[in-house]
Amino acid sequence: MQTVVDLSRLRHNIRRIRATLGNGFCAVVKADAYGHGLAAAGYIEPLVDCFLAATADEAIALASIVKRPILALGGDIEPYLRACESNIIPTVTDANQLTALLRSGRKCFSVAVNTGMNRLGASESKLAEIAELCKLLNVKPWSVYSHLYGGIASAAAQSAEFERLTADGLWQSRRHLYCSCALALAGAGVNLYDMTRCGIAMYGYAEGLDICMKVRAKIVAISRVQAGEHIGYGDYTLDRDAVIATVRIGYADGLRRCDKQLYLRVRGNMCPVIGVPCMDYCMIDVSGIPCRVGEYAYLISEKSDTEYLAKCYGTIIYEVLTGFNGRAERVYV
């Protein structure tokens, strides 16, 4: 199986987003860049102001690729108390974390603020303690940020809370609240702050932007199968004669088993998956399509394919994209 990433589309999306929003751009490349591969960061570094990683391992791996600042989300700061790359900026959510970080010799940090999501982030009282420590030690955060829990639906209320909590001048050097949903608010007189953390839109999943990744696998066998014969595991049998292609993609590769009809595209034709996907293969009906062994069948070739998969799986596009990992060969074009 291959994930084929079009870098020109990725760069084009970033330029369009930046032109629309007009503020700083933080490229979200956590979770292996949403399945597009962390290496993609090296191809877009000149176009962005910084990157965002979720874990210390991600941040350290990213630091071997890029030199721009890497914002690391909060939680466990212990990995950052040891020597690691200077362009990694850990997040703190209380004064104890900040104290430990400063004692380790690290001077650059960000502060996450809780504005209603109640996942991570400093409460009002903890934020006051962080502010007191910052002023005592004469240090300032690299950035201050919060997370929207409901996208545009919660944006107004959370923005008001963010404004209130970060009114002190200490917090106003680099504030960021919005993710890709900022595109829907651009031009509406909304304060988008100093920077936008852009993930899903950067990869093309927003209006007017192009998806950057296609997912494909090779046809490894083609058979003529008669009505009444079994296909794959279980008790599935054909109700008519058919030409069946075996494709080298299964649930271990991200093609999940579900009770909805799945498709792969062959030469632009939507070919139904027959039976249930195996761990390493799936079978599709290619009757009437002049395909051959060695050519590719596409699980994702356009945005609607990803949307359809998410609907079939009963999940969101993010989960579909991050599910392509492990055995996938990544190809950059």
Side-chain angles (χ1 to χ4, degrees):
M1 187 191 96
Q2 292 181 335
T3 53
V4 183
V5 181
D6 187 328
L7 295 167
S8 64
R9 285 189 174 190
L10 183 59
R11 289 189 285 258
H12 176 70
N13 288 343
I14 293 171
R15 292 188 184 100
R16 289 197 62 180
I17 294 167
R18 294 207 71 151
T20 300
L21 298 181
N23 61 357
F25 191 102
C26 178
V28 181
V29 293
K30 61 180 181 159
D32 208 20
Y34 290 33
H36 294 67
L38 200 59
Y43 296 99
I44 63 173
E45 184 172 11
L47 301 178
V48 308
D49 298 301
C50 63
F51 295 90
L52 184 144
T55 69
D57 285 345
E58 286 182 346
I60 292 169
L62 184 58
S64 69
I65 301 172
V66 301
K67 299 301 180 185
R68 292 201 188 280
I70 300 166
L71 173 61
L73 294 179
D76 182 15
I77 67 159
E78 193 275 333
Y80 307 108
L81 305 182
R82 303 186 295 271
C84 62
E85 288 73 1
S86 60
N87 61 328
I88 296 175
I89 303 167
T91 294
V92 300
T93 57
D94 62 45
N96 290 334
Q97 288 183 335
L98 179 55
T99 298
L101 207 60
L102 295 174
R103 284 177 177 170
S104 75
R106 298 191 75 87
K107 300 297 184 183
C108 203
F109 63 94
S110 285
V111 177
V113 182
N114 180 26
T115 57
M117 189 171 186
N118 294 305
R119 180 177 65 180
L120 291 172
S123 63
E124 185 170 4
S125 60
K126 288 184 176 181
L127 190 62
E129 292 172 357
I130 295 173
E132 183 178 355
L133 181 61
C134 285
K135 291 172 182 177
L136 177 65
L137 300 177
N138 193 31
V139 295
K140 292 184 67 174
W142 182 83
S143 78
V144 180
Y145 67 95
S146 190
H147 284 82
L148 297 179
Y149 60 81
I152 294 174
S154 67
Q158 287 190 261
S159 179
E161 180 68 353
F162 189 57
E163 286 279 6
R164 185 182 74 82
L165 292 173
T166 61
D168 190 309
L170 175 69
W171 307 129
Q172 295 191 17
S173 59
R174 187 182 284 107
R175 292 187 296 172
H176 45 110
L177 173 65
Y178 293 102
C179 55
S180 294
C181 71
L183 287 168
L185 299 170
V190 175
N191 182 4
L192 297 179
Y193 301 102
D194 304 301
M195 185 167 70
T196 297
R197 304 184 303 269
C198 200
I200 199 71
M202 181 174 73
Y203 302 112
Y205 290 90
E207 186 176 352
L209 299 173
D210 298 318
I211 68 166
C212 305
M213 183 174 74
K214 295 183 178 182
V215 179
R216 67 188 188 185
K218 281 187 177 181
I219 295 173
V220 295
I222 297 176
S223 306
R224 293 186 179 277
V225 183
Q226 295 182 341
E229 292 195 40
H230 286 268
I231 300 292
Y233 291 114
D235 58 1
Y236 186 91
T237 57
L238 286 177
D239 59 4
R240 59 179 175 81
D241 294 350
V243 179
I244 301 298
T246 300
V247 184
R248 184 59 182 83
I249 181 174
Y251 59 78
D253 305 294
L255 175 62
R256 292 160 54 174
R257 298 157 64 105
C258 69
D259 59 0
K260 302 294 191 300
Q261 179 62 69
L262 299 174
Y263 297 89
L264 273 71
R265 294 180 187 267
V266 177
R267 302 191 178 191
N269 299 283
M270 296 179 68
C271 302
V273 173
I274 303 300
V276 295
C278 308
M279 182 182 290
D280 312 302
Y281 304 96
C282 73
M283 282 66 77
I284 60 175
D285 187 345
V286 293
S287 300
I289 299 171
C291 57
R292 64 184 186 275
V293 170
E295 72 176 277
Y296 288 104
Y298 285 80
L299 182 62
I300 294 176
S301 63
E302 53 190 63
K303 191 178 300 184
S304 61
D305 295 333
T306 320
E307 294 167 343
Y308 181 74
L309 281 174
K311 183 178 179 180
C312 287
Y313 296 162
T315 187
I316 56 177
I317 287 173
Y318 300 77
E319 188 173 352
V320 173
L321 295 176
T322 57
F324 302 118
N325 50 37
R327 299 193 301 191
E329 176 191 4
R330 189 165 288 110
V331 179
Y332 292 107
V333 297

